């Protein structure tokens, strides 16, 4: 059984910063990739950015230069550092983890979501 647990959301003023964390908890062979998505009311869930096992990252154009994804493999944790936040960054942020299980099947797991609100 694998669980994905997120933390770090909240209310911040425009121009401020927040750091989200996401941990994969359970038994598995390895994590292939970890990523962050966000969904604002009335919108679809969109990719914010992701990081693969080798450390390569990719970001949505709207967050390039402001957001940074990193991971701590020893703790099976991924971080999303968000700087220079804008009101349009307001959304529920979801962590997504692609895992190789011990039966050698790949399985994707989602976190419960954490609210990020950027407002003065």
């Amino acid at each position: 059984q694998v669980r994905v647990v997120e933390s770090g959301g909240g209310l911040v003023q425009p121009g401020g910063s927040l750091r989200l964390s996401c941990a994969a908890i359970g038994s598995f062979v390895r994590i292939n990739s970890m990523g962050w998505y966000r969904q604002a009311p009335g919108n679809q869930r969109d990719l914010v950015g992701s990081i693969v096992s080798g450390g390569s990252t990719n970001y949505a154009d709207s967050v390039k230069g402001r957001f940074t994804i990193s991971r701590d493999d020893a703790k099976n944790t991924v971080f999303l550092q968000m700087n220079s936040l804008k009101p349009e960054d307001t959304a529920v942020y979801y962590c997504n983890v692609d895992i190789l299980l011990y039966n050698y099947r790949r399985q994707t797991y989602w976190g419960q979501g954490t609210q990020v609100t950027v407002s003065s």
Side-chain angles (χ1 to χ4, degrees):
Q1 185 73 13
V2 177
R3 293 186 299 121
V4 176
V5 180
E6 304 170 12
S7 61
L11 172 65
V12 64
Q13 292 186 343
S17 299
L18 278 176
R19 189 190 197 209
L20 305 183
S21 300
C22 167
I25 301 170
S27 297
F28 43 85
V29 175
R30 69 169 182 265
I31 295 174
N32 296 315
S33 66
M34 304 179 85
W36 291 95
Y37 289 72
R38 67 185 181 186
Q39 187 169 19
N43 291 354
Q44 64 183 15
R45 189 175 298 186
D46 293 323
L47 176 69
V48 175
S50 63
I51 184 167
V52 297
S53 58
S56 297
T57 57
N58 74 290
Y59 299 94
D61 288 342
S62 59
V63 306
K64 283 181 180 177
R66 300 188 298 121
F67 291 11
T68 302
I69 292 177
S70 60
R71 59 192 281 173
D72 182 338
D73 290 336
K75 296 181 179 180
N76 295 321
T77 299
V78 64
F79 305 97
L80 179 65
Q81 178 66 44
M82 304 184 291
N83 299 327
S84 302
L85 282 161
K86 305 175 181 180
E88 52 263 42
D89 295 317
T90 296
V92 177
Y93 284 69
Y94 296 91
C95 178
N96 174 277
V97 183
D98 184 345
I99 286 176
L100 181 65
L101 301 174
Y102 279 110
N103 60 7
Y104 290 93
R105 289 178 58 189
R106 289 179 66 174
Q107 185 70 45
T108 297
Y109 296 88
W110 289 92
Q112 77 279 11
T114 185
Q115 177 70 45
V116 171
T117 303
V118 184
S119 175
S120 55

